[in-house]
Amino acid sequence: MSHSRRIGVITAAAALLLTATACSGMGRSTVGMLTFRGNDSPVFLSYSNTPVVGCHKIALPKGATHVENNTLVDIILYPTLDCRKVAGADGIYVATTLSDVTAPVALPWRSFSVVH
């Protein structure tokens, strides 16, 4: 392999790596729908194309007790408004295309974050 060709391959690989690193997590969003429902409530709340970074509040007055994750990413649900773990109530992991329901004595979910 000639010297100029080798330099070209190294430069292209470095540019590709830099591009992938610079774009990671920026401007990306979930693909699909997250649906939440409160305990014994007929009201559903859905989120689509949610940004993958940050903490997202679940805008149900009493929190959510049912979730359906019909996105292409996993999420973590929290009983706090700021995605904080509290003693005895860590985040609940819900993988893509799955659903979950809180236990009868558990706190409702108030926020979620996206695993990316």
Side-chain angles (χ1 to χ4, degrees):
M1 183 180 276
S2 70
H3 181 69
S4 60
R5 183 176 167 114
R6 189 173 305 144
I7 295 292
V9 170
I10 292 170
T11 303
L16 183 62
L17 181 62
L18 181 62
T19 302
T21 303
C23 294
S24 176
M26 292 178 56
R28 293 186 331 179
S29 61
T30 61
V31 176
M33 187 82 63
L34 282 167
T35 305
F36 297 97
R37 183 171 61 87
N39 189 31
D40 297 329
S41 173
V43 177
F44 285 85
L45 175 66
S46 296
Y47 292 89
S48 63
N49 300 323
T50 307
V52 298
V53 294
C55 178
H56 308 283
K57 292 180 182 174
I58 300 171
L60 289 171
K62 294 182 180 180
T65 57
H66 299 75
V67 63
E68 291 183 27
N69 182 3
N70 291 314
T71 68
L72 299 178
V73 294
D74 301 344
I75 62 169
I76 300 175
L77 300 164
Y78 300 93
T80 60
L81 290 172
D82 57 358
C83 296
R84 196 173 21 94
K85 296 178 183 179
V86 294
D90 288 344
I92 301 296
Y93 191 93
V94 181
T96 181
T97 69
L98 294 179
S99 61
D100 200 359
V101 177
T102 61
V105 296
L107 295 171
W109 299 308
R110 301 283 186 172
S111 62
F112 69 95
S113 62
V114 177
V115 176
H116 60 100

